[in-house]
Amino acid sequence: MYGDEATIRRILTELGDTWAVVGLSANQRRAAYGVAQVLQRYGKRIVPVHPKAETVHGEPGYASLADIPFEVDVVDVFVNSELAGAVADEAVAKGAKAVWFQLGVVDEAAHERAQAAGLDMVMDRCPAIEIPLLR
């Protein structure tokens, strides 16, 4: 397990509602598209982060975390494990409060670095699965 229930609950309910979704594009067949939609339904502001910087679910996109001109609370990562560590480091640099690696995304070293920097972190879990369970 890469995220205890208390950490999952804190990220989803206490750390803020602005979620940068790295890997989110307008491609409706990708998991990020549906997960971002669920997050919006639960009151989260999603911020698409993708090299194409597309508008998704009515929110303008940015090519990188560094390009976002406002604070981000949580960075939700939909890239493969080999690239995810760099995204976690960017989240730390951006001043995010938490990093969430999606199902199948695991990087132990990134987890350690993020926690050492004071961020909450979850790996190999999906907020769209977890958030409905919070009731």
Side-chain angles (χ1 to χ4, degrees), residues 52-97:
K52 293 180 183 176
E54 299 173 304
T55 295
V56 184
H57 301 308
E59 294 287 346
Y62 297 89
S64 72
L65 286 174
D67 290 341
I68 301 172
F70 48 83
E71 289 185 11
V72 169
D73 300 310
V74 181
V75 176
D76 189 8
V77 182
F78 280 92
V79 300
N80 66 46
S81 296
E82 292 76 36
L83 301 174
V87 177
D89 296 338
E90 292 170 25
V92 170
K94 180 70 181 162
K97 298 171 190 163

Side-chain angles (χ1 to χ4, degrees), residues 20-119:
V21 184
V22 178
L24 175 58
S25 70
N27 184 343
Q28 296 180 22
R29 293 179 303 237
R30 304 290 299 182
Y33 189 89
V35 170
Q37 208 166 32
V38 170
L39 289 170
Q40 276 188 320
R41 266 198 307 258
Y42 280 87
K44 307 299 181 191
R45 176 186 183 189
I46 57 109
V47 182
V49 179
H50 189 279
K52 293 180 183 176
E54 299 173 304
T55 295
V56 184
H57 301 308
E59 294 287 346
Y62 297 89
S64 72
L65 286 174
D67 290 341
I68 301 172
F70 48 83
E71 289 185 11
V72 169
D73 300 310
V74 181
V75 176
D76 189 8
V77 182
F78 280 92
V79 300
N80 66 46
S81 296
E82 292 76 36
L83 301 174
V87 177
D89 296 338
E90 292 170 25
V92 170
K94 180 70 181 162
K97 298 171 190 163
V99 177
W100 192 300
F101 282 6
Q102 283 294 324
L103 292 172
V105 181
V106 175
D107 182 329
E108 297 283 348
H111 188 267
E112 290 176 22
R113 290 193 308 273
Q115 287 191 317
L119 279 69

